[in-house]
């Protein structure tokens, strides 16, 4: 905490944002203990960082393991928090058996769809009424070139309709929960347009989709505020709700491979503060279309960015520091006049 803020009363982040959007954090079994106080105080929504992914919930066929996921739901219930479910259909963290048929050959389309249905039915059904929104399909857009969809076993075996099937199954399992398409690099114009055209086609086909998740793994310089604004407007023009689902602001540019820092520099913290302040000011302007902003973590003592994209390189992407105290950026996003 900087000197000038030392004696200021800390307001709860989610209360400051009560008239704007819910404030979330990605959590796991470790952080719900380690960061318990911080989570309870400042957040009113959680997402399981890994514990609701396919490999965690159904590591072997028909052997579901809900232990940790259930505990996270319980934590949310005890603390009056919403839950964002993450994620049902993805090319990563999905066990190999899902795509295999007999004799180690690829599963048939029918078999894979039947497995998808069983998984979605079981998982979404179990948490019916407890999970307010689900990232149904994650990251299916190809990053580069003209190709729309990323190559994956889902696509190879089922064809593009695997996407709409996932939404249909999820909707059948819980008609009330809100269903999202979620992706990264979502604010860069080239990828934004691809995401937009995919989601638009789903909407036009009458697929039950209610929202777009902007992962928002950003850094001090990119994406630009203009690009963020354009992305928000573009997705919102489809008439869907938007969530920022995995927000963090890396103090390193993606290409920056330095590993020597034990602390963030003052310059980094200043830039990060400014960036958070400008971004949240923009997000507040769009409160009518944005209903949740979730950080991919809560405080700088735990972040996936300390292992990605450079293994073992510490990062400090949040508005709370390693001791769970507010950083300057916390004041940057909480000091504003309500409109
Ligand atoms: C993607 C996924 C998340 C998580 C992050 C990295 O954004 O959607 O579940 O795996 O990568 O932590």
């Amino acid at each position: 905490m900087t000197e000038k803020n030392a004696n200021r009363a800390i307001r709860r982040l989610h209360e400051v944002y009560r008239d704007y959007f819910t404030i979330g954090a990605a959590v796991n079994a470790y952080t719900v203990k380690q960061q318990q106080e911080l989570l309870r105080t400042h957040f009113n929504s959680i997402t399981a960082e890994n514990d609701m992914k396919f490999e965690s919930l159904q590591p072997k066929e028909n052997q579901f393991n809900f232990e940790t996921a259930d505990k996270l739901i319980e934590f949310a219930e005890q603390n009056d928090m919403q839950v964002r479910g993450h994620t049902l259909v993805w090319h990563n963290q999905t066990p190999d058996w899902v795509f295999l048929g007999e004799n180690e050959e690829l599963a048939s389309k029918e078999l894979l769809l039947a497995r998808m249905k069983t998984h979605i039915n079981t998982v979404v059904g179990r948490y019916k009424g407890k999970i307010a929104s689900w990232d149904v399909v994650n990251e299916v857009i190809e990053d580069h070139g003209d190709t729309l969809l990323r190559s994956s076993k889902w696509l190879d075996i089922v064809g593009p309709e695997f996407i709409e099937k996932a939404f249909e199954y999820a909707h059948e399992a819980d008609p009330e929960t809100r269903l999202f398409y979620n992706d990264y690099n979502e604010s860069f114009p080239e990828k934004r347009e691809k995401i937009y055209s995919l989601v638009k086609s789903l909407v036009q086909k009458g697929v039950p989709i209610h929202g777009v998740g902007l992962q928002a793994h950003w850094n001090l310089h990119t994406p630009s505020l203009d690009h963020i604004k354009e992305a928000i407007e573009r997705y919102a023009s489809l008439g869907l709700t938007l969530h920022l689902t995995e927000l963090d602001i890396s103090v390193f540019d993606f290409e920056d491979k330095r590993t020597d820092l034990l602390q963030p520099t003052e310059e980094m913290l200043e830039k990060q503060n400014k960036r958070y302040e400008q971004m949240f000011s923009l997000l507040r302007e769009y409160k009518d279309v944005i209903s949740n902003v979730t950080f991919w973590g809560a405080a700088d003592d735990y972040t996936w960015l300390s292992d990605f994209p450079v293994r073992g390189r510490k990062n400090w992407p949040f508005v709370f520091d390693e001791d769970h105290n507010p950083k300057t950026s916390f004041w940057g996003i909480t000091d504003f006049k309500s409109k």
Side-chain angles (χ1 to χ4, degrees):
M1 206 182 315
T2 55
E3 277 305 302
K4 90 174 159 49
N5 293 317
N7 297 317
R8 297 176 65 180
I10 300 174
R11 293 161 68 208
R12 293 167 185 255
L13 191 50
H14 75 78
E15 281 179 6
V16 175
Y17 278 89
R18 194 179 42 210
D19 296 334
Y20 294 86
F21 26 74
T22 47
I23 298 283
V27 300
N28 58 41
Y30 167 80
T31 59
V32 288
K33 292 208 178 82
Q34 207 59 28
Q35 302 180 332
Q36 200 175 129
E37 269 318 300
L38 183 76
L39 291 166
R40 284 192 173 133
T41 308
H42 290 285
F43 298 85
N44 56 358
S45 171
I46 56 166
T47 305
E49 184 191 24
N50 289 304
D51 296 303
M52 292 187 192
K53 291 176 178 171
F54 207 126
E55 68 176 9
S56 307
L57 293 183
Q58 199 188 170
K60 299 212 175 96
E61 186 153 27
N62 292 318
Q63 292 185 21
F64 286 86
N65 171 13
F66 289 112
E67 209 183 314
T68 313
D70 282 356
K71 283 195 183 130
L72 299 181
I73 298 266
E74 215 175 286
F75 178 78
E77 282 174 344
Q78 285 162 356
N79 295 291
D80 237 349
M81 295 162 157
Q82 286 180 359
V83 181
R84 297 197 78 260
H86 175 84
T87 179
L88 298 168
V89 171
W90 191 24
H91 62 281
N92 272 332
Q93 293 180 262
T94 305
D96 292 341
W97 68 258
V98 175
F99 306 105
L100 289 177
E102 279 171 33
N103 308 323
E104 299 290 295
E105 286 178 8
L106 278 190
S108 66
K109 175 173 174 174
E110 293 66 34
L111 180 60
L112 183 53
L113 281 175
R115 283 175 175 159
M116 181 201 272
K117 188 168 186 173
T118 302
H119 185 78
I120 292 180
N121 245 321
T122 311
V123 172
V124 177
R126 181 180 184 90
Y127 297 124
K128 192 171 175 177
K130 298 186 174 205
I131 292 193
S133 50
W134 270 102
D135 292 330
V136 178
V137 173
N138 201 30
E139 303 181 347
V140 297
I141 294 294
E142 167 60 38
D143 281 287
H144 306 290
D146 294 332
T147 311
L148 183 69
L149 297 179
R150 164 200 303 280
S151 149
S152 73
K153 296 218 174 93
W154 293 111
L155 182 63
D156 289 352
I157 298 172
V158 179
E161 75 202 70
F162 81 90
I163 300 169
E164 53 203 74
K165 288 288 178 211
F167 282 96
E168 282 162 17
Y169 297 155
H171 190 58
E172 271 166 41
D174 180 357
E176 297 302 318
T177 190
R178 302 293 83 185
L179 306 179
F180 280 70
Y181 175 70
N182 189 45
D183 213 329
Y184 65 91
N185 283 351
E186 72 300 311
S187 299
F188 294 129
E190 194 190 339
K191 189 152 173 200
R192 178 196 75 209
E193 284 310 297
K194 291 192 195 177
I195 297 173
Y196 173 82
S197 78
L198 168 70
V199 176
K200 186 174 176 191
S201 74
L202 296 173
V203 171
Q204 281 172 343
K205 281 188 221 166
V207 173
I209 177 171
H210 312 110
V212 179
L214 293 78
Q215 288 191 6
H217 290 295
W218 297 337
N219 65 38
L220 300 179
H221 303 107
T222 61
S224 69
L225 281 177
D226 283 347
H227 282 164
I228 296 172
K229 188 180 163 85
E230 285 160 22
I232 293 171
E233 291 193 355
R234 191 76 166 136
Y235 300 135
S237 74
L238 294 166
L240 303 178
T241 303
L242 310 187
H243 287 179
L244 265 66
T245 54
E246 307 185 14
L247 173 64
D248 40 29
I249 302 202
S250 168
V251 299
F252 301 102
D253 288 350
F254 197 78
E255 309 72 38
D256 185 344
K257 299 286 185 268
R258 69 185 293 184
T259 55
D260 57 324
L261 282 184
L262 298 175
Q263 294 294 329
T265 65
E266 277 305 311
E267 193 195 344
M268 284 170 169
L269 291 177
E270 269 164 38
K271 280 192 181 164
Q272 191 180 46
N273 171 35
K274 186 141 182 247
R275 185 107 161 107
Y276 263 118
E277 199 178 315
Q278 291 174 334
M279 261 176 44
F280 270 77
S281 159
L282 178 69
L283 299 178
R284 289 193 300 272
E285 280 177 38
Y286 287 93
K287 66 173 182 161
D288 292 343
V289 292
I290 298 172
S291 59
N292 173 280
V293 173
T294 291
F295 293 82
W296 204 241
D300 286 346
D301 53 320
Y302 179 83
T303 162
W304 75 296
L305 289 172
S306 291
D307 255 329
F308 181 87
V310 180
R311 195 163 272 271
R313 181 191 64 188
K314 182 78 193 101
N315 209 321
W316 300 271
F318 300 121
V319 301
F320 297 100
D321 69 16
E322 290 175 71
D323 299 319
H324 305 176
N325 291 318
K327 291 161 68 175
T328 315
S329 49
F330 171 85
W331 304 107
I333 66 172
T334 51
D335 258 351
F336 62 88
K337 292 208 171 58
S338 308
K339 281 188 194 153

